[in-house]
Amino acid sequence: MSDIIHLLPDSVANQIAAGEVIQRPASVVKELVENALDADSTEITVVIKEAGKQLIQIIDNGKGMSETDARMSFERHATSKISKAEELFSLRSMGFRGEALASIAAIAHVELKTKQRGSELGTHLVINGSEIIKQEVVNCSEGCNFAVRNLFFNVPARRKFLKKNTTEFGHILNEFRKTALTRPDVNFTLIEDDVVVYKLITGSYLQRIANLFGKSIQQSLVPVNTKSSIINISGFIGKPETARNKQSENFFFVNNRFMKHAYFNKAVLSAYDQIIAKDSAPVYFLYFDIAPESIDINIHPQKTEINFENAQMIFQILRSSIKESLGKYNIVPSIDFDREGAFEISYLSQNTLIKQPEITLNPNYNPFDTETKHNSQSTENFHKTQQEKDNLGNWDELLSTFENPGEKLPIQKTIQADNSLFTSNYVQLKNKYIVTPVKSGLMLIDQKRAHERILYERFRNEMKSKTSCSQQTLYPVSLELEPNEFSLIYELQNQIREAGFDIGTLGKSTIVVSGIPSYLTGSDPEELVRSLIENIKSEEGNISNNVQEFIACVVSKSASIKYGQKLSSPEINQLIESLFSCSSPNFSPSGKIIISILNTDEIEKKFK
């Protein structure tokens, strides 16, 4: 039998490698901009046409390359960043593997003009699908000018699965922002189809954030600045009122490299526990400065997933530093952080000595001493909060209602639902659930999900009958959007208008909300539109077939009553009546359970 194993040609191997490194046009932007930063550039321009499908051009004023280096840079694993394996654990550069340019050249038409600083002439290279078409001496500016055209021209299956232009440019925008946020000392320019989207000048980190996300964000951020023996953490976190349903403005950076880290994200969320809603995410821009040898960035082709040697310690430091900032800037009640001396966050290491706590006992204490008991009881009563007293009163009232139903129950009103007869005798539990006795036991209703279902069906019925109308707001609300957000709203403006929103445009990145659906009167127009935009961004690929259904789900969830909102008896009655008038009262628009029955048998088992 003949041999069947053979080496792949370099061109094929490069195309396979490109599948890991270059997933879409945004990947090209990321790799080339990072290379420009590694070349000590102070000016970087990104030019995009047709969301990168036609052209991606990166121009920088960095060190540039010699003729030999320019040719070698397109070879696989050719790099100037490392020369031995040990250097992987002390990296400060953005790139180091030497795969990016080889992968890009394998699946696109690439043109490079580059000249070293101080040189008279530069080098011009043209490469199509890993094949060198031209190499010549040329007169050009110092630095590098990469032009990548016709991405995936020779891999049609990959090109076919690219999303529409607004989606792909959204990914490019995200990569651009991630990189620009790491280096406020560098000027960045982004041009899309001959329109300048961003022109960022050097400044502070806060100024860079404001230039990318709008001037208004500055008022909603508080600084974080913590130094410890294993890590320094700086940056900004958002005030609780700026928390959103989607994690769109959450950024971690380690040694000026963007990273994803679910574990550290949990640390941030835990610091905001009971300050924001459980389904919300705070805004944060957090920068880690840590010894390179204590992290491993060589675990993913995109280098966004990073291992930390002391992850558990960093978790505690991160959570404490955020709590410190929230307290220091009066976001939550806190101790006095302005006292003299640095705020030192303690953490446990493997060598930390654990000491048993000392307990002081009073050998002369007499539990039968009436005077002592009286003093102790008086102190306890003094510290009892008003909330505890109110709760006791509420329980007394509730118990007396059940003990004397003939005296305190309101007029009985019955509603037939699911073959269970229940009355309008409702109790609101934790300002989250509505509880009422039914023939089979106790019925529990999730108040927010119930309201979502009511609003959803009302919206759907109005759309079906073409009767939806807009209620004009008292004052128009102006919203400054990111370029991709503006494009999405502009693209779906007809469907959004049909849903009852009156939205106009003002300039190239601002919309004006003058009206909202009439049945949502009283809702916050900005919150509704922001929620709609965030959901469109995250689910864009899944809404093209049924935009109105999508809008109905998003708007009903955003406009529904919140958990923790106390309802009056008439409001509860109205909510329940409206719920059981719906065609599907048991489930929310997203398919979550609204009603649950706690059977009498289950209750009786609790007391056996």
Side-chain angles (χ1 to χ4, degrees):
M1 180 179 292
S2 60
D3 298 333
I4 60 174
I5 295 178
H6 60 277
L7 292 174
L8 288 172
D10 287 342
S11 58
V12 178
N14 286 341
Q15 285 189 15
I16 295 173
E20 290 185 346
V21 180
I22 308 301
Q23 300 172 347
R24 56 189 348 132
S27 304
V28 177
V29 174
K30 173 185 181 295
E31 298 293 345
L32 294 182
V33 172
E34 287 182 351
N35 282 349
L37 289 176
D38 283 339
D40 298 334
S41 303
T42 59
E43 296 271 353
I44 299 176
T45 300
V46 180
V47 180
I48 303 295
K49 289 192 176 180
E50 288 191 18
K53 299 172 186 177
Q54 178 184 336
L55 172 68
I56 301 169
Q57 188 173 15
I58 312 295
I59 306 168
D60 69 62
N61 66 344
K63 294 182 291 187
M65 291 184 282
S66 66
E67 182 178 3
T68 302
D69 285 346
R71 176 63 188 85
M72 282 292 295
S73 66
F74 288 94
E75 297 293 333
R76 285 192 71 194
H77 308 306
T79 178
S80 62
K81 314 299 172 55
I82 61 173
S83 58
K84 53 186 178 181
E86 289 79 5
E87 295 177 359
L88 285 171
F89 302 101
S90 59
L91 284 167
R92 285 283 183 178
S93 60
M94 303 293 287
F96 55 88
R97 288 176 174 156
E99 290 182 316
L101 292 182
S103 298
I104 294 170
I107 47 146
H109 298 148
V110 180
E111 183 177 2
L112 166 64
K113 293 180 180 178
T114 180
K115 185 174 76 171
Q116 287 182 310
R117 292 171 180 167
S119 299
E120 293 184 4
L121 297 174
T123 302
H124 181 206
L125 276 175
V126 178
I127 302 176
N128 293 345
S130 295
E131 181 182 355
I132 298 177
I133 304 301
K134 180 188 295 184
Q135 179 173 346
E136 61 182 3
V137 176
V138 68
N139 186 16
C140 61
S141 302
E142 293 181 353
C144 288
N145 184 336
F146 282 93
V148 180
R149 296 182 173 87
N150 306 319
L151 193 65
F152 300 126
F153 80 97
N154 53 354
V155 192
R158 295 287 303 280
R159 189 175 179 88
K160 181 177 67 175
F161 283 101
L162 291 177
K163 305 296 184 182
K164 56 185 179 181
N165 286 355
T166 52
T167 303
E168 293 299 340
F169 182 69
H171 288 289
I172 291 173
L173 194 62
N174 286 337
E175 293 297 340
F176 178 86
R177 291 186 305 184
K178 290 172 187 176
T179 310
L181 283 168
T182 66
R183 296 293 302 274
D185 59 325
V186 175
N187 295 323
F188 286 90
T189 302
L190 175 62
I191 301 173
E192 181 202 16
D193 294 334
D194 300 324
V195 176
V196 177
V197 178
Y198 285 121
K199 192 170 184 62
L200 308 174
I201 61 173
T202 58
S204 67
Y205 280 100
L206 185 58
Q207 289 171 332
R208 178 56 54 90
I209 292 171
N211 289 334
L212 284 169
F213 296 95
K215 302 294 184 184
S216 59
I217 198 173
Q218 295 183 83
Q219 307 302 321
S220 62
L221 297 177
V222 295
V224 175
N225 193 1
T226 297
K227 295 184 178 181
S228 70
S229 57
I230 64 171
I231 192 171
N232 296 334
I233 301 175
S234 61
F236 302 90
I237 55 174
K239 296 178 181 178
E241 58 267 25
T242 63
R244 298 184 178 180
N245 293 333
K246 300 292 181 181
Q247 296 187 357
S248 58
E249 294 174 9
N250 313 134
F251 296 89
F252 280 124
F253 303 94
V254 56
N255 296 345
N256 276 341
R257 180 191 301 276
F258 172 79
M259 71 167 179
K260 298 177 182 177
H261 212 290
Y263 184 56
F264 293 156
N265 183 64
K266 288 182 179 179
V268 176
L269 294 178
S270 67
Y272 280 86
D273 188 33
Q274 298 184 352
I275 302 176
I276 63 175
K278 290 188 178 298
D279 58 350
S280 298
V283 174
Y284 59 80
F285 305 84
L286 293 171
Y287 298 81
F288 294 180
D289 185 15
I290 192 170
E293 58 269 18
S294 65
I295 61 174
D296 182 7
I297 62 177
N298 193 30
I299 61 174
H300 189 273
Q302 299 296 322
K303 299 185 285 292
T304 56
E305 298 176 12
I306 298 175
N307 280 340
F308 285 74
E309 182 181 356
N310 300 307
Q312 291 182 338
M313 298 179 192
I314 295 172
F315 182 100
Q316 300 297 334
I317 295 172
L318 176 60
R319 181 171 61 180
S320 298
S321 62
I322 292 175
K323 284 187 173 182
E324 175 195 357
S325 289
L326 290 174
K328 189 173 182 178
Y329 292 90
N330 298 320
I331 307 301
V332 294
S334 66
I335 61 176
D336 183 11
F337 287 105
D338 289 325
R339 66 190 184 277
E340 293 183 2
F343 182 82
E344 179 62 27
I345 298 175
S346 59
Y347 60 90
L348 298 179
S349 66
Q350 295 179 348
N351 300 321
T352 301
L353 178 62
I354 308 297
K355 295 183 179 180
Q356 183 174 350
E358 296 180 358
I359 301 176
T360 303
L361 298 177
N362 182 5
N364 298 320
Y365 173 71
N366 183 356
F368 300 101
D369 187 339
T370 305
E371 183 177 353
T372 303
K373 287 177 64 179
H374 176 75
N375 291 338
S376 176
Q377 187 175 4
S378 298
T379 302
E380 180 182 353
N381 290 338
F382 178 78
H383 288 290
K384 185 180 291 294
T385 64
Q386 186 62 42
Q387 183 179 2
E388 289 173 326
K389 294 178 182 178
D390 292 342
N391 288 339
L392 289 173
N394 293 337
W395 276 111
D396 289 341
E397 182 181 352
L398 177 61
L399 290 173
S400 65
T401 300
F402 285 115
E403 289 170 359
N404 303 289
E407 297 178 11
K408 296 202 173 184
L409 284 181
I411 299 174
Q412 300 297 310
K413 180 178 180 182
T414 59
I415 301 175
Q416 187 71 29
D418 295 339
N419 297 321
S420 296
L421 193 65
F422 64 92
T423 70
S424 61
N425 183 31
Y426 308 116
V427 175
Q428 193 179 15
L429 178 63
K430 297 288 187 182
N431 290 342
K432 184 176 182 181
Y433 304 104
I434 298 169
V435 184
T436 183
V438 293
K439 189 162 56 176
S440 59
L442 284 177
M443 175 183 290
L444 292 88
I445 300 173
D446 186 301
Q447 68 182 38
K448 178 174 174 58
R449 295 178 186 176
H451 198 207
E452 284 181 35
R453 166 54 63 178
I454 295 166
L455 294 177
Y456 169 78
E457 293 208 2
R458 188 177 300 173
F459 176 90
R460 194 175 59 178
N461 292 336
E462 288 190 2
M463 289 303 302
K464 190 177 297 183
S465 60
K466 304 293 183 181
T467 59
S468 59
C469 59
S470 176
Q471 173 67 43
Q472 294 297 298
T473 58
L474 185 60
Y475 299 103
V477 178
S478 297
L479 301 180
E480 185 179 352
L481 305 181
E482 299 169 13
N484 62 324
E485 293 175 339
F486 186 85
S487 298
L488 291 174
I489 290 294
Y490 185 81
E491 191 173 316
L492 298 175
Q493 60 180 325
N494 292 333
Q495 293 93 327
I496 294 174
R497 187 176 294 111
E498 290 175 3
F501 287 92
D502 184 358
I503 297 180
T505 59
L506 183 65
K508 297 178 181 179
S509 61
T510 303
I511 62 173
V512 179
V513 183
S514 301
I516 59 176
S518 57
Y519 63 90
L520 299 180
T521 301
S523 299
D524 184 351
E526 180 174 356
E527 182 180 348
L528 287 175
V529 176
R530 289 284 186 193
S531 177
L532 186 59
I533 292 172
E534 292 297 328
N535 282 273
I536 291 175
K537 285 166 59 179
S538 60
E539 301 290 339
E540 184 187 359
N542 303 321
I543 66 174
S544 56
N545 295 330
N546 199 339
V547 177
Q548 296 297 347
E549 181 80 10
F550 176 82
I551 294 176
C553 290
V554 172
V555 171
S556 62
K557 184 173 182 178
S558 178
S560 60
I561 55 178
K562 305 295 188 264
Y563 291 129
Q565 181 174 336
K566 186 174 179 58
L567 302 178
S568 64
S569 294
E571 288 173 332
I572 293 177
N573 288 332
Q574 181 62 46
L575 184 72
I576 301 304
E577 288 185 22
S578 299
L579 175 64
F580 284 99
S581 297
C582 294
S583 59
S584 302
N586 291 323
F587 297 96
S588 71
S590 59
K592 295 181 179 179
I593 294 175
I594 297 176
I595 302 170
S596 179
I597 301 292
L598 185 61
N599 293 326
T600 304
D601 291 342
E602 297 178 67
I603 297 174
E604 290 180 348
K605 287 179 182 179
K606 303 286 185 182
F607 296 93
K608 286 185 178 179

